[in-house]
Amino acid sequence: MTTDIKTEIDFLPETDSSAALLEVRDLHVEFRTRDGVAHAVNGARFRLQSGQTLAILGESGCGKSVTAQAIMGILDTPPGFVTKGEVLYRGVDLLKLSEDERRRVRANKIAMIFQDALSALNPVFTVGFQLGEVFRKHLGMSRADAKKRAIELLDMVRIPAAAQRVNNYPHQFSGGMRQRVMIAMALALDPEVLIADEPTTALDVTVQAQIMKLLAELQAERNMGLILITHDMGVVADVADWISVMYAGRVVEEAPVHDIYARPAHPYTKALLESIPRLDLKGQQLNVIKGLPPNLTAIPSGCAFHPRCRYARDACRVDPPPPLYETGSGTTAACHFWKEVRGGE
Amino acid sequence: MSDVVLETKDLVKHFPITRGIVFQKKIGAVRAVDGVTLQLHRGETLGVVGESGCGKSTLAKLLVGLEKPTSGSIVVRGTDIARLKGNEMRRARRHIQMVLQDPYTSLNPRMTVGDIIGEPYEIHPEVAPRGERRRRVQELLDLVGLNPDHINRYPHQFSGGQRQRIGIARALALRPEIIVCDEPVSALDVSIQAQVMNLLENLQNELGLSYIFIAHDLSVVRHISDRVAVMYLGKVVEIGDDTQIYEKPTHPYTQALLSAVPVPDPTLRGQRDEIVLEGDVPSPANPPSGCRFRTRCWKAQEICAEKEPLLVERERSAHPSACHFAEVRDVVHAVE
């Protein structure tokens, strides 16, 4: 792909190229609704380096998508408010930037793809027009030039007959192809960070495999940092380098992918792993996690997982919630009894 | 186990594609289900897997009588329910019930849980006399692990997993022999899926039910099924017990499908046989000639376009496989 026009990206003067590519510190997000304040994110944190794949793993309502929206600055405000925390891109706190600056960070530096590609694309414009929009708005290209670039992008994500397909509307594409278009759009300006929010959840497994392979290839080509938000422990095991497990808006465990699966240190991670059936095993007993994920307007005191936890004791039920204990070099787990959890029953 | 409770023969469902408003002219047909022959034994779970558009949900609707088959038969208790009408149909349906995919849209928000679970008794009053219904419903709630005192609550007061339990209780109300589960856990969170799957298994053991378990998640299907049928574009391409399908698949489509499923174990990364299919599923309105998978198959040769492979046991396939070149290939475990 020809990248003759490089965007003017030095509009963030204080960037420190030795700092982590993206770091989130103690992020808090709440939704002020009629039924009360929902604490969607309560101190999320993680760090991403170039070329790394970080998976944020959790069930619906654990705050993983809201975290992504807060990083991108696309949170619905109101009702959503970032109440505390920092989102550092190369050392610059994005939350302190003006809306205009943030808009330039989006797409140029940090881009995002969404779960449902059909509703993320506008049905009344051609795919080519929507892809070209990035170039017209961010680079001020002419329509004709933007379309040429759109064709290159479709080629890049391996859509056959790109020159013809560029004039098609989203409904003329299959689910997998729409997600490819989304990826093309996100990568148009060569971002350094790509946030993929459940990119394959709506797709069939064979198409999922295609898309994950494409993402991995594009990531390797560009040495891009990838944040993969998902609930699928299988996909994570295949692609992630590092995993953050979230529960009720908090990161409860952070570790490299091999450690998480081999020696989970948080009871929630452990229980999740024991509750999913595996393709290559038969007759395994599925361990059920009792109860339900907590209501975010009334998160249990102490450790939010304690009502569902088989290790829970009195210490778990009282505030403050367990801190992220260091469990190894760089790995952490928010459980008072992580040694016991990791050591077995 | 040899007791057959349900049998389909050459089951076909074509949806017509029409043109014109007043005089609708038939210009083609979507071959959603195109010749499916299955047997379900007592107490058994038959898993049906395939990607979206392969006809698995249409098959489910045919089995419970929500769609009329274009041709073929569905034999339950010795009678072909595809031919029945009116009262006979209503009585026959009692023995085969369904659990739907989405527990949010499949429960009427204006009815109480008691009314929802008790509604089958309005249609089949002979099952439970009026005075006994409330008690029956409470028993059912208890059976599926819900609080019997919640009988007067509305669906919105329950979580997704609890709603799916309500859906299961409704399917059990008439004490059917067969339950068709159409993607019963795919709308649920991971930690809730195991709860519902365990419930389905316990109910099967207690009540001697037979399940047709339709899902796109191959790991879930393996966990719950005794036998598995793999569908592609309206046809069963491979059928066998779970070891045959998962450990020794012989149809290229099954192999590709299994290879695409990620296994939650990072030590297997890059160790498994990887098959990434090109392209998408062809349109069921205009399926390829001969073998329907040939357009995406790496083994395809001329014979595949000319002659449709039958679902039979073959030289290199101990179980029925619809491929001229059927051959065992392990794609689930690590390979050297």
Side-chain angles (χ1 to χ4, degrees):
Chain A
M1 164 176 173
T2 57
T3 9
D4 44 323
I5 304 159
K6 192 65 202 150
T7 10
E8 177 266 310
I9 44 172
D10 299 322
F11 59 88
L12 294 174
E14 313 89 75
T15 50
D16 171 8
S17 54
S18 62
L21 178 58
L22 187 74
E23 187 173 356
V24 172
R25 284 189 193 154
D26 197 29
L27 186 72
H28 287 250
V29 180
E30 60 183 41
F31 286 88
R32 295 170 193 157
T33 67
R34 271 188 308 181
D35 305 326
V37 178
H39 300 276
V41 181
N42 309 297
R45 58 168 240 182
F46 52 80
R47 183 196 284 252
L48 177 75
Q49 305 288 359
S50 298
Q52 195 187 38
T53 302
L54 167 78
I56 300 182
L57 189 71
E59 296 176 87
S60 45
C62 75
K64 55 193 195 302
S65 294
V66 174
T67 305
Q69 287 169 6
I71 296 170
M72 287 296 285
I74 52 170
L75 206 60
D76 270 335
T77 308
F81 295 90
V82 177
T83 50
K84 201 175 154 196
E86 291 174 311
V87 177
L88 303 172
Y89 160 77
R90 294 264 183 234
V92 177
D93 188 357
L94 298 181
L95 298 176
K96 294 206 175 76
L97 297 183
S98 70
E99 184 48 41
D100 189 48
E101 285 170 313
R102 288 212 83 175
R103 198 167 57 83
R104 283 190 286 167
V105 171
R106 281 197 285 268
N108 273 322
K109 300 291 188 189
I110 307 176
M112 183 164 173
I113 52 178
F114 301 88
Q115 172 175 355
D116 185 355
L118 182 59
S119 53
L121 290 169
N122 191 330
V124 299
F125 291 106
T126 63
V127 163
F129 183 86
Q130 294 182 61
L131 279 170
E133 199 167 11
V134 185
F135 298 115
R136 293 194 306 275
K137 298 284 183 209
H138 280 264
L139 303 184
M141 275 190 188
S142 72
R143 278 196 175 208
D145 286 345
K147 191 163 169 186
K148 269 191 214 128
R149 294 293 295 271
I151 295 172
E152 286 174 16
L153 284 175
L154 289 181
D155 236 13
M156 173 188 82
V157 292
R158 285 152 217 149
I159 287 183
Q164 283 91 56
R165 296 309 295 255
V166 76
N167 294 320
N168 284 168
Y169 288 88
H171 76 267
Q172 291 166 296
F173 282 67
S174 68
M177 298 234 277
R178 282 180 206 134
Q179 199 53 277
R180 283 168 194 265
V181 172
M182 291 299 296
I183 293 172
M185 202 179 282
L187 297 185
L189 297 180
D190 264 329
E192 290 174 70
V193 182
L194 179 66
I195 304 175
D197 188 359
E198 305 259 9
T200 58
T201 307
L203 305 174
D204 278 319
V205 275
T206 57
V207 183
Q208 166 173 296
Q210 292 170 3
I211 296 286
M212 291 316 297
K213 195 168 168 229
L214 175 71
L215 271 178
E217 285 170 11
L218 292 171
Q219 182 193 14
E221 265 169 38
R222 293 148 183 261
N223 196 29
M224 189 170 63
L226 176 65
I227 298 181
L228 181 70
I229 296 176
T230 182
H231 67 272
D232 188 329
M233 306 202 81
V235 171
V236 170
D238 260 4
V239 299
D241 301 315
W242 194 270
I243 295 184
S244 284
V245 183
M246 283 187 77
Y247 187 78
R250 293 190 73 211
V251 171
V252 295
E253 184 165 4
E254 305 165 301
V257 64
H258 287 278
D259 286 10
I260 285 256
Y261 285 82
R263 305 186 307 145
H266 195 279
Y268 176 62
T269 320
K270 191 172 178 176
L272 264 189
L273 282 168
E274 288 167 350
S275 73
I276 44 170
R278 278 178 61 158
L279 189 69
D280 55 343
L281 298 176
K282 177 66 180 179
Q284 49 169 341
Q285 187 63 41
L286 290 191
N287 238 326
V288 165
I289 306 179
K290 63 185 180 193
L292 305 168
N295 177 352
L296 295 175
T297 55
I299 294 175
S301 65
C303 172
F305 188 59
H306 83 252
R308 306 175 75 190
C309 181
R310 64 189 131 122
Y311 297 92
R313 290 170 212 171
D314 290 342
C316 306
R317 298 184 184 100
V318 291
D319 281 329
L324 279 165
Y325 292 101
E326 191 114 341
T327 58
S329 62
T331 65
T332 57
C335 177
H336 296 307
F337 306 106
W338 64 269
K339 281 187 188 135
E340 188 187 334
V341 176
R342 188 179 267 181
E345 294 297 318
Chain B
M1 278 296 265
S2 60
D3 205 358
V4 176
V5 289
L6 179 139
E7 191 172 12
T8 71
K9 274 214 183 82
D10 287 324
L11 198 60
V12 174
K13 178 70 190 178
H14 289 180
F15 293 101
I17 307 170
T18 56
R19 183 173 286 166
I21 296 162
V22 182
F23 301 103
Q24 294 201 340
K25 201 171 107 194
K26 195 177 159 211
I27 55 162
V30 173
R31 296 150 165 242
V33 173
D34 211 6
V36 169
T37 302
L38 292 172
Q39 282 188 339
L40 178 69
H41 302 276
R42 186 176 304 282
E44 176 193 53
T45 302
L46 174 65
V48 178
V49 291
E51 295 179 276
S52 43
C54 75
K56 52 193 198 303
S57 288
T58 307
L59 177 67
K61 285 183 186 160
L62 288 170
L63 293 176
V64 294
L66 289 174
E67 294 279 359
K68 278 263 174 220
T70 309
S71 67
S73 63
I74 306 165
V75 178
V76 179
R77 297 181 142 211
T79 47
D80 181 1
I81 59 168
R83 306 257 165 279
L84 298 181
K85 284 199 176 81
N87 265 337
E88 283 178 316
M89 181 72 187
R90 188 171 57 76
R91 274 200 294 275
R93 271 184 183 157
R94 210 192 111 180
H95 305 293
I96 176 159
Q97 293 286 316
M98 190 167 184
V99 176
L100 297 156
Q101 173 175 5
D102 186 351
Y104 293 89
T105 53
S106 61
L107 302 176
N108 187 336
R110 290 169 174 243
M111 285 167 77
T112 64
V113 168
D115 290 339
I116 288 170
I117 300 175
E119 198 178 12
Y121 299 132
E122 305 281 325
I123 296 143
H124 300 272
E126 72 280 7
V127 180
R130 194 166 282 276
E132 220 182 280
R133 287 182 194 164
R134 200 179 157 80
R135 194 179 54 76
R136 283 279 184 94
V137 170
Q138 286 183 321
E139 278 172 17
L140 284 166
L141 282 172
D142 193 41
L143 189 64
V144 297
L146 294 172
N147 186 345
D149 296 335
H150 292 173
I151 188 164
N152 289 325
R153 293 199 178 183
Y154 287 88
H156 74 263
Q157 292 169 293
F158 293 89
S159 69
Q162 289 174 323
R163 286 183 208 213
Q164 200 54 292
R165 288 170 192 266
I166 297 169
I168 293 169
R170 174 172 62 183
L172 289 172
L174 298 173
R175 296 192 205 138
E177 291 181 313
I178 304 158
I179 293 187
V180 178
C181 305
D182 188 5
E183 304 264 12
V185 298
S186 61
L188 304 176
D189 257 322
V190 218
S191 74
I192 310 296
Q193 278 191 3
Q195 294 177 1
V196 173
M197 275 194 283
N198 282 1
L199 172 68
L200 285 169
E201 285 187 322
N202 293 341
L203 290 171
Q204 181 168 44
N205 295 338
E206 266 174 55
L207 309 172
L209 298 165
S210 308
Y211 291 141
I212 301 243
F213 192 94
I214 295 174
H216 68 275
D217 186 330
L218 284 98
S219 312
V220 167
V221 168
R222 172 160 209 190
H223 181 76
I224 205 160
S225 305
D226 302 307
R227 284 194 307 137
V228 178
V230 182
M231 280 185 79
Y232 187 74
L233 274 181
K235 281 187 181 292
V236 174
V237 295
E238 186 167 359
I239 186 164
D241 65 35
D242 89 273
T243 328
Q244 287 168 334
I245 296 290
Y246 286 84
E247 311 276 329
K248 292 173 184 148
T250 61
H251 195 285
Y253 177 63
T254 314
Q255 291 161 357
L257 200 58
L258 286 172
S259 128
V261 179
V263 170
D265 183 353
T267 57
L268 286 176
R269 190 188 289 185
Q271 304 292 306
R272 288 168 63 209
D273 204 352
E274 186 183 292
I275 310 170
V276 177
L277 286 182
E278 298 291 320
D280 292 303
V281 184
S283 159
N286 186 20
S289 67
C291 172
R292 294 183 173 195
F293 184 58
R294 72 179 164 85
T295 52
R296 299 170 83 195
C297 184
W298 61 95
K299 281 184 175 175
Q301 300 192 11
E302 270 174 37
I303 185 176
C304 303
E306 288 154 13
K307 197 167 158 226
E308 184 173 331
L310 298 173
L311 182 66
V312 288
E313 285 166 24
R314 288 166 191 273
E315 203 180 318
R316 292 187 180 172
S317 176
H319 54 278
S321 174
C323 176
H324 294 303
F325 308 104
E327 199 173 10
V328 173
R329 177 170 174 185
D330 182 1
V331 290
V332 169
H333 302 91
V335 287
E336 288 83 48

